[in-house]
Amino acid sequence: MAPYDRKYDEKRDFYRMMVHASVTISIPGSSDSFMGVTEDLSATGIQFVTDAHLKMGQTVQISVQPEGKTQQPLKADLEVKRVDVTTDGKFVVAG
């Protein structure tokens, strides 16, 4: 089904899956790494919550840890596209 044929507000090319898994965020060229929890995942992006204050346009490396030990982690380089702050001071990062 083409995006323009859909009868609802979601017009993305890829569906978002609600995935709650641990994610490790690393800064290339640095020994800094942070933890987070994914909120959703699609073929072209991810959204996660973290204590790390990442900046829009920043490149990070992520590793999403599956719950079972039978699967390898999902690893990717990611450009931060959006950062929102929650009421409790955490950061919601989309890339």
Side-chain angles (χ1 to χ4, degrees), residues 4-93:
Y4 49 82
D5 291 337
R6 297 183 189 144
K7 304 288 186 212
Y8 53 91
D9 290 332
E10 181 66 67
K11 302 230 189 263
R12 299 176 189 275
D13 289 334
F14 299 99
Y15 294 104
R16 290 183 179 265
M17 297 176 289
M18 299 302 124
V19 176
H20 295 278
S22 295
V23 61
T24 303
I25 305 109
S26 302
I27 311 299
S30 169
S31 61
D32 294 341
S33 67
F34 309 95
M35 294 302 296
V37 176
T38 61
E39 288 199 333
D40 60 58
L41 179 68
S42 77
T44 59
I46 188 169
Q47 183 168 271
F48 57 87
V49 178
T50 182
D51 291 330
H53 186 185
L54 303 174
K55 297 177 178 74
M56 284 183 39
Q58 183 176 13
T59 299
V60 297
Q61 295 171 330
I62 62 166
S63 177
V64 179
Q65 306 299 319
E67 287 191 25
K69 295 188 183 222
T70 59
Q71 300 169 338
Q72 295 294 316
L74 168 68
K75 296 183 179 186
D77 293 336
L78 177 81
E79 180 182 348
V80 175
K81 299 288 188 181
R82 188 179 71 243
V83 179
D84 297 317
V85 182
T86 65
T87 57
D88 61 350
K90 293 190 183 290
F91 299 95
V92 180
V93 178

